[in-house]
Amino acid sequence: MTSLTRRTMLKALAATPAIGSAGAVIGMPLVARAAEYELKYGNNLPLTHPLNVRAQEAAARVEAESKGRVVIKIFPNNQLGGDTDMLSQVRSGGLTFFTPSALVIATLVPVAAINAVGFAFADYDQVWKAMDGKLGAHVRAAISKVGLHAFEKMWDNGFRQMTTSGKPIESAADMDGLKIRVPVSPLSIAMFKALSAAPASLQFSEVYSSLQTRIVDAQENPLPIIQVAKLYEVQKNCALSNHIWDGFWFIANGRSWKGLPPDLQTIVSNAINDAGVAQRGDIKALNQSVQADLTAKGLAFNQPSPDSFRAKLRDAGFYSEWKGRFGDEAWGLLEEAVGKLA
């Protein structure tokens, strides 16, 4: 497998052409004869992101193992529209595959947001224990009820970390009154309110200027996003809080998936799941290299214990409220992997 470097991943790309399974530009011949099944895959990330690098490998493997019967064409970088557009297209069958983050598909399948419960996961071992295990199976079953097929292995979108322009965040007490930008997500807003912060829902395009002008004093995102957006220029400290983990579900239109013969389903499933596991390793390595780079650029890091944050959320009734929203069964499966929360 090709190793991925931070430089490769973080090249800012403009819209790139759709690519075929071997990485060829559409219009160039991939196989001598037309494929029996031409499958379209859309996503919102640049072609150089580990998700697309591994998806290309999976597509090439599918074409080879199916002897040209199946070709997957990849449309990266929002070529086919935003997340809402692509979710609609994969439901209608206009798109075969899509990789929404859990928070995106949660607009359709609410329980899918359960992996983003605040301070639920201590580390990746707990994440994959849950999402490769019973909790993931529970969410996939819910996804299947809306006419979609979710593959067994989630792809990684990373842990979110908190940065500040003022003092570092060492414990939940440092959240009191903190003006922090958060995504437009009910779960995120509820969590920061429960921590006594003052969350402001802003579009990502507004984050840098809002930090620069002190409309907000803090923000939270995965480390590669903090680097790409140059937020280190307007922030001083970064708490490696791991307060939310999010991943990508690799989903297929249910009718299209059932229309594939069983032998081809096996080939496609194996290729996509194996590529997802490889992508997880890519993101882990990327985060380590990005932290070193951000340190060199002057961002100071600290690693707070999750204990005070969990206690504050518990006392504020956050966990009890969301246990009620997600249901006892899903919540029980989460706690089976991470320990008692509510």
Side-chain angles (χ1 to χ4, degrees), residues 8-338:
T8 301
M9 148 52 180
L10 296 174
K11 285 178 184 171
L13 284 188
T16 50
I19 59 170
S21 59
V25 176
I26 283 182
M28 293 177 66
L30 285 170
V31 288
R33 57 186 171 79
E36 289 179 47
Y37 300 93
E38 187 174 291
L39 311 178
K40 292 168 63 179
Y41 163 46
N43 64 68
N44 63 5
L45 293 169
L47 197 55
T48 47
H49 188 280
L51 179 141
N52 274 313
V53 173
R54 296 301 182 179
Q56 289 178 71
E57 292 177 356
R61 175 177 163 184
V62 165
E63 184 174 359
E65 292 185 6
S66 71
K67 296 181 171 57
R69 293 174 66 197
V70 181
V71 167
I72 297 174
K73 292 193 174 179
I74 303 173
F75 297 82
N77 219 33
N78 288 320
Q79 277 186 21
L80 302 180
D83 286 339
T84 303
D85 298 319
M86 286 188 283
L87 187 58
S88 176
Q89 289 171 51
V90 80
R91 292 190 74 195
S92 70
L95 193 56
T96 318
F97 302 120
F98 175 41
T99 36
S101 80
L103 289 174
V104 169
I105 199 169
T107 60
L108 186 63
V109 184
V111 74
I114 195 166
N115 60 258
V117 166
F119 295 92
F121 297 109
D123 51 36
Y124 273 118
D125 288 342
Q126 289 188 346
V127 167
W128 303 130
K129 179 182 178 184
M131 304 319 297
D132 288 344
K134 294 178 184 177
L135 182 60
H138 181 84
V139 175
R140 289 199 308 277
I143 292 172
S144 72
K145 290 176 182 174
V146 296
L148 297 169
H149 171 80
F151 291 92
E152 291 78 8
K153 300 295 184 183
M154 279 191 90
W155 296 43
D156 193 12
N157 195 16
F159 278 103
R160 299 178 78 91
Q161 320 296 356
M162 291 187 276
T163 67
T164 59
S165 57
K167 65 179 184 177
I169 297 168
E170 302 280 4
S171 71
D174 296 316
M175 301 299 295
D176 194 29
L178 183 68
K179 293 187 293 182
I180 183 168
R181 179 268 174 183
V182 300
V184 185
S185 158
L187 186 55
S188 295
I189 294 166
M191 182 190 80
F192 283 102
K193 282 185 175 177
L195 290 170
S196 298
S201 290
L202 301 170
Q203 295 301 320
F204 183 72
S205 58
E206 302 174 63
V207 173
Y208 187 98
S209 61
S210 297
L211 291 167
Q212 191 175 39
T213 56
R214 295 299 180 90
I215 292 172
V216 291
D217 298 314
Q219 67 84 46
E220 50 83 60
N221 263 299
L223 293 183
I225 300 297
I226 292 168
Q227 184 189 47
V228 169
K230 298 187 176 182
L231 301 183
Y232 54 83
E233 295 178 347
V234 286
Q235 298 280 268
K236 293 195 302 189
N237 296 290
C238 179
L240 295 172
S241 51
N242 286 355
H243 56 278
I244 285 175
W245 176 81
D246 197 14
F248 299 104
W249 283 108
F250 208 114
I251 61 172
N253 173 271
R255 292 184 305 278
S256 298
W257 181 248
K258 289 173 185 172
L260 276 182
D263 61 324
L264 296 182
Q265 285 185 357
T266 299
I267 288 171
V268 174
S269 280
N270 289 343
I272 287 175
N273 285 327
D274 289 351
V277 172
Q279 185 261 0
R280 296 174 182 182
D282 299 335
I283 295 295
K284 186 175 181 179
L286 179 66
N287 279 328
Q288 291 168 349
S289 68
V290 168
Q291 184 178 341
D293 183 66
L294 289 171
T295 299
K297 287 180 164 64
L299 196 63
F301 286 86
N302 66 292
Q303 194 154 9
S305 165
D307 295 345
S308 68
F309 298 92
R310 281 187 170 186
K312 176 81 172 177
L313 292 175
R314 194 175 294 119
D315 292 346
F318 171 80
Y319 291 131
S320 297
E321 177 191 348
W322 287 89
K323 177 182 179 180
R325 293 200 189 194
F326 289 125
D328 290 343
E329 183 181 359
W331 195 267
L333 295 174
L334 174 63
E335 289 190 330
E336 207 174 287
V338 305

